[in-house]
Amino acid sequence: MKMNIDSAEARLLANALYEIRVLLSPYIGSEVDALMEVRLAAHLAYALHNEALAITEGGSFDMGAALRKVSAIDNILHVNEAARLVTEWAK
């Protein structure tokens, strides 16, 4: 189901994602000693932070490229979570 989000709402969500990326930056990497959920969240935020910045600046981004960045997380963390998310988000 598609929802209409106005630009102020999109900017708020994008700013929140960017702040989450900053907070979770110590958990980026393939050999970090932390819960997998925290590592996955850190990599998701990192994968999409440039897209979040584009939205906060009133721009747009390439959805396909963003989803490819998310897909790459599975190879870094040796999990299958990103593929599941990409499948959901690409609907």
Side-chain angles (χ1 to χ4, degrees):
M1 164 183 9
K2 295 207 178 218
M3 300 188 327
N4 291 328
I5 298 176
D6 75 24
S7 62
E9 292 167 330
R11 284 193 310 275
L12 182 145
L13 292 173
N15 280 314
L17 175 62
Y18 189 80
E19 289 301 317
I20 291 167
R21 180 253 185 240
V22 171
L23 292 168
L24 292 175
S25 63
Y27 301 99
I28 297 292
S30 60
E31 298 182 19
V32 173
D33 184 24
L35 292 172
M36 183 55 72
E37 293 85 355
V38 174
R39 295 174 64 206
L40 181 59
H43 281 268
L44 281 171
Y46 186 80
L48 298 174
H49 79 277
N50 284 329
E51 288 75 10
L53 284 176
I55 290 172
T56 62
E57 295 169 356
S60 62
F61 63 89
D62 179 339
M63 178 69 112
L67 293 176
R68 285 189 295 279
K69 289 180 189 177
V70 171
S71 291
I73 294 169
D74 284 346
N75 290 330
I76 296 167
L77 298 180
H78 308 290
V79 296
N80 291 314
E81 292 300 312
R84 177 186 60 80
L85 294 172
V86 168
T87 299
E88 282 295 313
W89 296 343
K91 291 181 180 177

